[in-house]
Amino acid sequence: MDIFSLEGRNAWITGAAYGIGFAIAKAFVKAGARTIIFNTRSQESVDKALEAYAAEGITNVRGYVCDVTDEVAVKALVARIHEEVGQIDILVNNAGIIKRIPMHEMTRSEFQQVIDIDLVGPYIASAAVIPEMMERREGKIINVCSMMSELGRETVSAYAAAKGGLKMLTRNICSEYGEYNIQCNGIGPGYIATPQTAPLREKQADGSRHPFDSFICAKTPAGRWLDPDELAGPAVFLASHASDAVNGHILYVDGGILAYIGKQPK
């Protein structure tokens, strides 16, 4: 099964301090990745993440402070990675935020912040690594999309707009750079049990389940929230030579939500 190996390859995973990015990083290490590179927006966050990696026995990791929305800083980081680590074989655009605010109550600046981090950030990072990938005629870019790349829902207008745009950015990178043997695909997680979704899973004051928790479990054929580690296999597949003929594809890891209309009311 050597086609699934990431032996000797360097992977830059944006925002991989915890949650989905952290789970993908652990999977890449198990698959043989040479170095994991991640960035966050503060040194405190970098330090905390490095401690978490060390606790997992992962030492081949480099953390940097960099805001993915700052084009100048991202280009400088890519140059620094090339100097200190080597070429970037795999880029995972994972950094993202969500603001759950009704659209008519959301300010333009709040909307723009989500777009900047969730959509413009992946564009900036991808544009920074693509030239070197073109020169080598090899590279993997994975964009962490969402079911909101396909569906809408109350209070997430900015997030859905950004993730829908990221789906199309994925397809366009495939279209524009596929001839250079660069594969750009997306992972569309379902509802994953991460710190970001923790407020939606909290017990109510009376001990009952959060209404959204009940809704998601009823809407998911698997009947549960998914674990970040369940993204490991799909991520390794898209980062490895096993997916060399897969390009412009969004792989939804959602427990079946997108295939399911939901249970009939009793």
Side-chain angles (χ1 to χ4, degrees), residues 143-167:
N143 292 324
V144 178
C145 296
S146 166
M147 288 186 306
M148 298 301 106
S149 298
E150 301 289 344
L151 303 172
R153 186 171 63 76
E154 298 88 344
T155 76
V156 294
S157 58
Y159 186 78
K163 293 300 186 178
L166 187 57
K167 174 183 70 175

mmCIF file of all heavy atoms in Angstrom, residues 143-167:
data_model
loop_
_atom_site.group_PDB
_atom_site.id
_atom_site.type_symbol
_atom_site.label_atom_id
_atom_site.label_comp_id
_atom_site.label_asym_id
_atom_site.label_seq_id
_atom_site.Cartn_x
_atom_site.Cartn_y
_atom_site.Cartn_z
ATOM 1 N N ASN A 143 -8.314 21.682 0.563
ATOM 2 C CA ASN A 143 -9.087 22.757 1.187
ATOM 3 C C ASN A 143 -10.156 22.159 2.098
ATOM 4 O O ASN A 143 -10.916 21.280 1.667
ATOM 5 C CB ASN A 143 -9.756 23.623 0.118
ATOM 6 C CG ASN A 143 -8.758 24.413 -0.699
ATOM 7 O OD1 ASN A 143 -7.742 24.862 -0.180
ATOM 8 N ND2 ASN A 143 -9.034 24.589 -1.984
ATOM 9 N N VAL A 144 -10.175 22.596 3.337
ATOM 10 C CA VAL A 144 -11.202 22.118 4.260
ATOM 11 C C VAL A 144 -12.470 22.913 4.007
ATOM 12 O O VAL A 144 -12.616 24.061 4.435
ATOM 13 C CB VAL A 144 -10.746 22.234 5.729
ATOM 14 C CG1 VAL A 144 -11.859 21.761 6.665
ATOM 15 C CG2 VAL A 144 -9.486 21.391 5.957
ATOM 16 N N CYS A 145 -13.361 22.281 3.266
ATOM 17 C CA CYS A 145 -14.641 22.893 2.924
ATOM 18 C C CYS A 145 -15.656 22.579 4.020
ATOM 19 O O CYS A 145 -15.291 22.507 5.185
ATOM 20 C CB CYS A 145 -15.093 22.399 1.546
ATOM 21 S SG CYS A 145 -13.994 22.905 0.190
ATOM 22 N N SER A 146 -16.902 22.353 3.658
ATOM 23 C CA SER A 146 -17.939 22.144 4.659
ATOM 24 C C SER A 146 -19.196 21.669 3.955
ATOM 25 O O SER A 146 -19.344 21.848 2.736
ATOM 26 C CB SER A 146 -18.212 23.460 5.396
ATOM 27 O OG SER A 146 -19.409 23.397 6.149
ATOM 28 N N MET A 147 -20.118 21.097 4.702
ATOM 29 C CA MET A 147 -21.433 20.854 4.122
ATOM 30 C C MET A 147 -22.086 22.164 3.716
ATOM 31 O O MET A 147 -22.951 22.197 2.845
ATOM 32 C CB MET A 147 -22.318 20.119 5.129
ATOM 33 C CG MET A 147 -21.919 18.676 5.330
ATOM 34 S SD MET A 147 -23.095 17.826 6.376
ATOM 35 C CE MET A 147 -23.121 18.908 7.792
ATOM 36 N N MET A 148 -21.652 23.274 4.358
ATOM 37 C CA MET A 148 -22.158 24.578 3.973
ATOM 38 C C MET A 148 -21.592 25.032 2.621
ATOM 39 O O MET A 148 -21.935 26.098 2.134
ATOM 40 C CB MET A 148 -21.833 25.634 5.042
ATOM 41 C CG MET A 148 -22.446 25.392 6.411
ATOM 42 S SD MET A 148 -24.258 25.305 6.421
ATOM 43 C CE MET A 148 -24.515 23.548 6.652
ATOM 44 N N SER A 149 -20.734 24.195 2.009
ATOM 45 C CA SER A 149 -20.364 24.405 0.611
ATOM 46 C C SER A 149 -21.530 24.026 -0.300
ATOM 47 O O SER A 149 -21.541 24.389 -1.473
ATOM 48 C CB SER A 149 -19.139 23.554 0.244
ATOM 49 O OG SER A 149 -18.008 23.915 1.003
ATOM 50 N N GLU A 150 -22.492 23.284 0.260
ATOM 51 C CA GLU A 150 -23.643 22.803 -0.506
ATOM 52 C C GLU A 150 -24.982 23.276 0.048
ATOM 53 O O GLU A 150 -25.942 23.417 -0.699
ATOM 54 C CB GLU A 150 -23.648 21.268 -0.514
ATOM 55 C CG GLU A 150 -22.414 20.614 -1.109
ATOM 56 C CD GLU A 150 -22.329 20.773 -2.620
ATOM 57 O OE1 GLU A 150 -23.360 21.108 -3.247
ATOM 58 O OE2 GLU A 150 -21.236 20.568 -3.170
ATOM 59 N N LEU A 151 -25.054 23.485 1.344
ATOM 60 C CA LEU A 151 -26.314 23.758 2.018
ATOM 61 C C LEU A 151 -26.290 25.107 2.726
ATOM 62 O O LEU A 151 -25.237 25.610 3.074
ATOM 63 C CB LEU A 151 -26.604 22.673 3.066
ATOM 64 C CG LEU A 151 -26.666 21.233 2.588
ATOM 65 C CD1 LEU A 151 -26.756 20.289 3.786
ATOM 66 C CD2 LEU A 151 -27.845 21.017 1.653
ATOM 67 N N GLY A 152 -27.453 25.653 2.950
ATOM 68 C CA GLY A 152 -27.573 26.848 3.766
ATOM 69 C C GLY A 152 -28.208 26.506 5.105
ATOM 70 O O GLY A 152 -28.798 25.449 5.283
ATOM 71 N N ARG A 153 -28.074 27.412 6.052
ATOM 72 C CA ARG A 153 -28.693 27.227 7.367
ATOM 73 C C ARG A 153 -28.771 28.576 8.052
ATOM 74 O O ARG A 153 -28.004 29.493 7.748
ATOM 75 C CB ARG A 153 -27.880 26.234 8.209
ATOM 76 C CG ARG A 153 -28.523 25.871 9.529
ATOM 77 C CD ARG A 153 -27.796 24.727 10.216
ATOM 78 N NE ARG A 153 -26.420 25.030 10.570
ATOM 79 C CZ ARG A 153 -26.066 25.792 11.607
ATOM 80 N NH1 ARG A 153 -26.980 26.360 12.371
ATOM 81 N NH2 ARG A 153 -24.793 25.989 11.863
ATOM 82 N N GLU A 154 -29.677 28.705 8.988
ATOM 83 C CA GLU A 154 -29.842 29.963 9.702
ATOM 84 C C GLU A 154 -28.538 30.387 10.382
ATOM 85 O O GLU A 154 -27.823 29.560 10.923
ATOM 86 C CB GLU A 154 -30.946 29.838 10.767
ATOM 87 C CG GLU A 154 -32.336 29.532 10.225
ATOM 88 C CD GLU A 154 -32.585 28.039 10.079
ATOM 89 O OE1 GLU A 154 -31.608 27.266 10.097
ATOM 90 O OE2 GLU A 154 -33.768 27.660 9.920
ATOM 91 N N THR A 155 -28.264 31.666 10.347
ATOM 92 C CA THR A 155 -27.197 32.364 11.090
ATOM 93 C C THR A 155 -25.784 32.147 10.549
ATOM 94 O O THR A 155 -24.829 32.630 11.144
ATOM 95 C CB THR A 155 -27.186 32.006 12.609
ATOM 96 O OG1 THR A 155 -26.629 30.705 12.812
ATOM 97 C CG2 THR A 155 -28.578 32.089 13.213
ATOM 98 N N VAL A 156 -25.599 31.447 9.427
ATOM 99 C CA VAL A 156 -24.233 31.194 8.946
ATOM 100 C C VAL A 156 -24.038 31.710 7.515
ATOM 101 O O VAL A 156 -23.338 31.100 6.716
ATOM 102 C CB VAL A 156 -23.862 29.693 9.040
ATOM 103 C CG1 VAL A 156 -23.787 29.248 10.486
ATOM 104 C CG2 VAL A 156 -24.826 28.838 8.236
ATOM 105 N N SER A 157 -24.617 32.847 7.207
ATOM 106 C CA SER A 157 -24.550 33.364 5.834
ATOM 107 C C SER A 157 -23.116 33.578 5.370
ATOM 108 O O SER A 157 -22.747 33.203 4.250
ATOM 109 C CB SER A 157 -25.339 34.674 5.725
ATOM 110 O OG SER A 157 -24.835 35.649 6.639
ATOM 111 N N ALA A 158 -22.288 34.180 6.210
ATOM 112 C CA ALA A 158 -20.903 34.457 5.812
ATOM 113 C C ALA A 158 -20.125 33.161 5.641
ATOM 114 O O ALA A 158 -19.363 32.995 4.680
ATOM 115 C CB ALA A 158 -20.228 35.347 6.853
ATOM 116 N N TYR A 159 -20.306 32.243 6.563
ATOM 117 C CA TYR A 159 -19.599 30.963 6.515
ATOM 118 C C TYR A 159 -19.997 30.176 5.262
ATOM 119 O O TYR A 159 -19.136 29.637 4.555
ATOM 120 C CB TYR A 159 -19.919 30.165 7.774
ATOM 121 C CG TYR A 159 -19.163 28.874 7.940
ATOM 122 C CD1 TYR A 159 -17.841 28.871 8.375
ATOM 123 C CD2 TYR A 159 -19.771 27.642 7.681
ATOM 124 C CE1 TYR A 159 -17.137 27.682 8.548
ATOM 125 C CE2 TYR A 159 -19.078 26.445 7.850
ATOM 126 C CZ TYR A 159 -17.769 26.475 8.280
ATOM 127 O OH TYR A 159 -17.083 25.296 8.453
ATOM 128 N N ALA A 160 -21.302 30.118 4.984
ATOM 129 C CA ALA A 160 -21.765 29.392 3.803
ATOM 130 C C ALA A 160 -21.256 30.044 2.522
ATOM 131 O O ALA A 160 -20.858 29.352 1.575
ATOM 132 C CB ALA A 160 -23.294 29.328 3.796
ATOM 133 N N ALA A 161 -21.247 31.377 2.491
ATOM 134 C CA ALA A 161 -20.727 32.078 1.315
ATOM 135 C C ALA A 161 -19.247 31.771 1.108
ATOM 136 O O ALA A 161 -18.785 31.531 -0.014
ATOM 137 C CB ALA A 161 -20.947 33.583 1.471
ATOM 138 N N ALA A 162 -18.486 31.767 2.209
ATOM 139 C CA ALA A 162 -17.049 31.494 2.125
ATOM 140 C C ALA A 162 -16.783 30.052 1.704
ATOM 141 O O ALA A 162 -15.937 29.792 0.836
ATOM 142 C CB ALA A 162 -16.383 31.786 3.471
ATOM 143 N N LYS A 163 -17.481 29.106 2.306
ATOM 144 C CA LYS A 163 -17.230 27.704 2.002
ATOM 145 C C LYS A 163 -17.741 27.331 0.608
ATOM 146 O O LYS A 163 -17.157 26.460 -0.062
ATOM 147 C CB LYS A 163 -17.866 26.800 3.065
ATOM 148 C CG LYS A 163 -17.217 26.937 4.445
ATOM 149 C CD LYS A 163 -15.738 26.572 4.431
ATOM 150 C CE LYS A 163 -15.141 26.561 5.827
ATOM 151 N NZ LYS A 163 -13.722 26.152 5.838
ATOM 152 N N GLY A 164 -18.823 27.965 0.166
ATOM 153 C CA GLY A 164 -19.252 27.762 -1.217
ATOM 154 C C GLY A 164 -18.209 28.290 -2.187
ATOM 155 O O GLY A 164 -17.897 27.667 -3.203
ATOM 156 N N GLY A 165 -17.636 29.450 -1.851
ATOM 157 C CA GLY A 165 -16.563 30.005 -2.666
ATOM 158 C C GLY A 165 -15.326 29.126 -2.651
ATOM 159 O O GLY A 165 -14.650 28.971 -3.683
ATOM 160 N N LEU A 166 -15.024 28.516 -1.492
ATOM 161 C CA LEU A 166 -13.855 27.657 -1.389
ATOM 162 C C LEU A 166 -14.021 26.406 -2.245
ATOM 163 O O LEU A 166 -13.052 25.914 -2.830
ATOM 164 C CB LEU A 166 -13.623 27.276 0.082
ATOM 165 C CG LEU A 166 -12.346 26.508 0.396
ATOM 166 C CD1 LEU A 166 -11.104 27.271 -0.049
ATOM 167 C CD2 LEU A 166 -12.262 26.195 1.889
ATOM 168 N N LYS A 167 -15.246 25.900 -2.335
ATOM 169 C CA LYS A 167 -15.504 24.770 -3.228
ATOM 170 C C LYS A 167 -15.143 25.138 -4.665
ATOM 171 O O LYS A 167 -14.474 24.370 -5.372
ATOM 172 C CB LYS A 167 -16.973 24.358 -3.147
ATOM 173 C CG LYS A 167 -17.374 23.287 -4.157
ATOM 174 C CD LYS A 167 -18.854 22.963 -4.078
ATOM 175 C CE LYS A 167 -19.705 24.109 -4.605
ATOM 176 N NZ LYS A 167 -21.145 23.747 -4.634
#
